[in-house]
């Protein structure tokens, strides 16, 4: 799955592509997701498949956190609009 973020205010320089392969997450990132969302990794994956915006933003947060360890999940609430996100599913994931 690829998550593409294109902010309205800065669509060229602000564009981000996140190659969100959940199997590439580090164990510590998975543990942090599970602790934050109070769900198992499998349950998180199921919620993503169902289209949960909460779980989608949690995945974006984990990838962004790699560059800013101070970033909290609540910091994501007023940063991105749902309309600025595009989800591309790999052919083998469908």
């Amino acid at each position: 799955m690829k998550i593409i973020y294109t902010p309205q205010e800065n669509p060229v320089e602000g564009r981000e592509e996140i190659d969100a392969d959940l199997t590439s997450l580090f164990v510590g990132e998975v543990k942090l997701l599970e602790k934050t969302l109070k769900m198992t990794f499998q349950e998180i994956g199921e919620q993503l498949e169902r289209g949960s915006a909460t779980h989608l933003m949690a995945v974006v947060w984990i990838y962004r956190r790699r560059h800013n360890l101070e970033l909290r999940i609540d910091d994501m609430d007023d940063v991105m609009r749902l309309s600025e996100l595009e989800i591309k599913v790999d052919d083998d994931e469908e």
Side-chain angles (χ1 to χ4, degrees):
M1 166 173 62
K2 187 173 284 198
I3 302 168
I4 302 167
Y5 169 59
T6 308
Q8 292 176 0
E9 291 82 17
N10 190 5
V12 176
E13 293 174 11
R15 189 172 194 270
E16 279 181 63
E17 284 193 25
I18 299 169
D19 190 11
D21 176 4
L22 298 184
T23 61
S24 72
L25 292 175
F26 292 102
V27 173
E29 292 171 329
V30 172
K31 289 169 63 176
L32 184 57
L33 271 176
E34 289 183 335
K35 180 181 176 183
T36 302
L37 296 173
K38 297 177 178 53
M39 302 180 109
T40 67
F41 188 58
Q42 181 176 344
E43 291 169 325
I44 294 166
E46 290 167 359
Q47 290 298 318
L48 280 170
E49 287 179 10
R50 289 188 181 128
S52 168
T54 299
H55 294 80
L56 174 64
M57 292 312 300
V59 170
V60 172
W61 166 65
I62 283 294
Y63 280 96
R64 282 184 148 203
R65 193 174 179 279
R66 289 180 176 179
H67 305 287
N68 178 2
L69 292 177
E70 301 299 316
L71 189 65
R72 298 177 343 196
I73 195 163
D74 291 341
D75 295 337
M76 303 299 296
D77 289 351
D78 298 324
V79 174
M80 296 179 173
R81 294 174 184 88
L82 200 53
S83 63
E84 296 173 326
L85 294 169
E86 178 184 355
I87 312 304
K88 289 193 175 185
V89 180
D90 296 332
D91 290 337
D92 59 341
E93 291 181 37
E94 292 184 70

